């Protein structure tokens, strides 16, 4: 094996990239494999950049990553005959996006705390402007338990920073001890002349400072300590300051579209005696006209009035233009219905290209919240408040921080097209719940769809159809305070990531030197002003 690597180093690296990408960029990426892949790419690009034919070699690396990504999705069953081209395009684009932070760091020779900043900021910007949000991001969806506690404070930015930090640490040790490179001194960042490594591979020019890497290791270990004290379990259902709330997902067996409304209505009545809040999956019913919509929502209002429950009805309806004429497109929305009628309405804002085949138009209004009251009406003192919000399917792939208050529960109707897609989307919902300090009621009636309560320690899910009821606890009095991430978004993580760079770049000694220089300049300025005000006499004139 070592002889093969010695004789064909470039081909060995390309083959390793393809194999590692195939096992890493799966629907649910693992943190350990992700670190290993980015370490290999970091070292490879660091060796390629200063040498001839760098662009051609980088293109080969990109094609290797794209190939591994495509094979991974083909093995997972996400690729069909009709979806080969979209999958190839998707693999190529996100492989290129994943390489951009790595190549940028190699070109600018950024190291230490700077690479985690570039890595996390890059994926923050990509997910912000991508039509599919964090779907496809090189972020772990499994094995990130050590840093999950950071999510309510800095969101996914903190997880990406930790991944970038371990990539930097592992890259340094791989270059120093496996490839025979000497750590650079802080005062010397020039490339050293090439020497042979233990594997007789081309020498990788090192740009890393041992002091900075040691500080980075300490920071990563310190940030992992709180995970030992954070409870992964949900709050107990009974206590002095909590109330027990029943939530239900209505998933009747598949039926003809013309009978869908009747099936969901019947199932809702079945679970009404056990639940306070009931949710229908994405696109459960289709309204044919404004009159059809009004009549069916009125029927459910009467049921909600009889049972004293809140019903989240997910629907599709035709879009009308300014002349009230049908445009040929449909809108995908959800209405929360109570005894008072529709108290909250939301329309799906994001769609996945090549998946949503029916022409749809996205909503413009961001998610909002509504305050509801639960408990016995005849006993006002026994009633309690909670806030509801809602998003639909792919909307959970887009982090958001525009809510004015913390929702107690987010209703998440969904319809996924494949088992692995369902696993990814329910993980996205769990991350949005942890970021906002809330819980998501996820109801998915897609093929082998996953449904359940996620966030705040809830993790039990059901596969496939079959209505169910679960219990959750609600704090009394209501806690409406937003999490730090809910207030600042990723900006909090960005500022925190910049802090160690400022500290390491501008040490205390340099800071004091800057103060001395500044004070000297101020003194000189005052001395010049004093001389100008009191000019010395000209003795020649006297």
């Amino acid at each position: 094996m070592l002889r093969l690597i010695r004789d064909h180093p470039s081909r060995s690296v390309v083959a390793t990239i393809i194999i590692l990408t195939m096992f890493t960029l799966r629907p649910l990426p693992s943190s350990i494999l992700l670190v290993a892949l980015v370490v290999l790419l970091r070292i490879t690009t660091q060796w390629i950049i200063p040498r001839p034919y760098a662009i051609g070699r980088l293109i080969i690396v990109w094609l290797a990553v794209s190939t591994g990504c495509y094979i991974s999705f083909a093995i997972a069953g996400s690729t069909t005959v009709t979806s080969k081209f979209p999958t190839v395009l998707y693999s190529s684009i996100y492989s290129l996006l994943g390489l951009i932070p790595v190549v940028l760091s190699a070109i600018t020779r950024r190291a230490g705390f700077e690479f985690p900043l570039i890595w996390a900021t890059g994926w923050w910007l990509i997910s912000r402007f991508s039509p599919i949000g964090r779907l496809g991001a090189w972020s772990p969806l499994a094995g990130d338990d050590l840093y999950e506690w950071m999510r309510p404070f800095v969101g996914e930015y903190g997880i990406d920073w930790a991944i970038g930090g371990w990539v930097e640490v592992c890259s340094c040790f791989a270059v120093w001890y496996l490839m025979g490179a000497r750590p650079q001194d802080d005062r010397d960042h020039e490339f050293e002349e090439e020497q042979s490594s233990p594997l007789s591979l081309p020498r990788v020019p090192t740009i890393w400072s041992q002091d900075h890497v040691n500080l980075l290791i300490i920071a990563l270990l310190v940030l992992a300590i709180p995970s030992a004290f954070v409870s992964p379990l949900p709050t107990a259902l009974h206590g002095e300051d909590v109330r027990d709330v029943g939530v239900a997902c209505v998933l009747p067996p598949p039926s003809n579209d013309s009978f869908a409304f009747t099936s969901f209505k019947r199932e809702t009545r079945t679970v009404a005696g056990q639940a306070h809040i009931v949710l229908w999956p994405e696109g459960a019913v289709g309204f044919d006209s404004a009159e059809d919509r009004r009549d069916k929502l009125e029927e459910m209002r009467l049921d909600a009035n009889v049972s004293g429950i809140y019903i989240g009805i997910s629907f599709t309806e035709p879009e009308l233009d300014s002349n009230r004429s049908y445009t040929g497109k449909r809108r995908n929305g959800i209405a929360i219905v109570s005894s008072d009628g529709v108290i909250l309405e939301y329309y799906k804002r994001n769609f996945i290209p090549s998946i949503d085949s029916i022409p749809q138009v996205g909503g413009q209004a961001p998610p909002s919240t509504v305050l509801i009251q639960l408990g016995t009406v005849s006993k006002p003192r026994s009633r309690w408040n909670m806030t509801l919000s809602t998003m639909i399917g792919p909307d959970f792939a887009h982090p958001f921080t525009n809510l004015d208050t913390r929702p107690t529960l987010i209703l998440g109707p969904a319809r996924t097209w494949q088992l692995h897609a369902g696993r990814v989307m329910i993980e996205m919902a769990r991350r949005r719940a942890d970021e906002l300090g809330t819980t998501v009621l996820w109801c998915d009636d897609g093929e082998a769809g996953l449904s359940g309560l996620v966030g705040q320690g809830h993790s039990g899910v059901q596969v496939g159809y079959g209505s169910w009821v679960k219990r959750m606890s609600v704090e009394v009095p209501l806690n409406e305070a937003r999490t730090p991430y809910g207030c600042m978004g990723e900006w909090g993580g960005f500022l925190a990531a910049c802090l160690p760079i400022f500290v390491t770049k501008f040490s205390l000694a340099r800071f004091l030197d800057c103060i001395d220089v500044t004070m000297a300049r101020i003194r000189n300025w005052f001395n010049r002003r004093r001389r100008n005000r009191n000019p010395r006499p000209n003795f020649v004139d006297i």
Side-chain angles (χ1 to χ4, degrees), residues 95-110:
S95 298
L96 178 62
L97 294 176
L99 285 172
I100 288 177
V102 180
V103 174
L104 180 63
S105 300
I107 293 175
T108 58
R109 304 182 64 207
R110 301 295 93 186

Side-chain angles (χ1 to χ4, degrees), residues 451-473:
S451 302
L453 274 175
V454 292
Q456 301 298 293
H458 296 279
S459 58
V461 296
Q462 172 184 294
V463 182
Y465 66 84
S467 300
W468 51 263
V469 179
K470 293 184 181 293
R471 318 300 297 183
M472 61 173 288
S473 58

Side-chain angles (χ1 to χ4, degrees), residues 520-538:
R521 290 178 178 176
I522 293 175
R523 286 194 299 268
N524 291 336
W525 184 80
F526 275 108
N527 291 336
R528 289 196 301 270
R529 290 290 300 269
R530 189 180 300 112
R531 286 195 298 268
N532 292 335
R533 289 181 180 179
N534 302 306
R536 303 176 72 177
N538 192 339

Side-chain angles (χ1 to χ4, degrees), residues 119-138:
W119 180 258
T121 305
W123 284 112
W124 168 31
L125 296 176
I126 292 171
S127 62
R128 181 65 62 182
F129 297 104
S130 169
I132 59 175
R134 293 198 66 87
L135 291 177
W138 291 23

Side-chain angles (χ1 to χ4, degrees), residues 184-212:
Q184 284 280 5
D185 186 83
D186 281 344
R187 296 165 297 179
D188 180 19
H189 288 285
E190 297 298 326
F191 289 134
E192 300 175 2
E193 64 181 37
E194 295 192 7
Q195 301 173 357
S196 61
S197 68
L199 296 178
S200 297
L201 292 173
R203 179 88 190 302
V204 176
T206 178
I207 59 172
W208 291 282
S209 161
Q210 189 166 9
D211 292 337
H212 290 177

Side-chain angles (χ1 to χ4, degrees), residues 344-358:
L344 181 65
E345 196 168 7
Y346 172 78
Y347 288 93
K348 183 177 178 179
R349 304 174 67 194
N350 302 283
F351 303 92
I352 299 178
S354 77
I355 298 299
D356 296 303
S357 57
I358 300 176

Side-chain angles (χ1 to χ4, degrees), residues 69-86:
C69 184
Y70 178 82
I71 295 174
S72 174
F73 278 89
I75 293 174
S78 300
T79 304
T80 62
V81 175
T82 58
S83 64
K84 281 187 177 180
F85 177 73

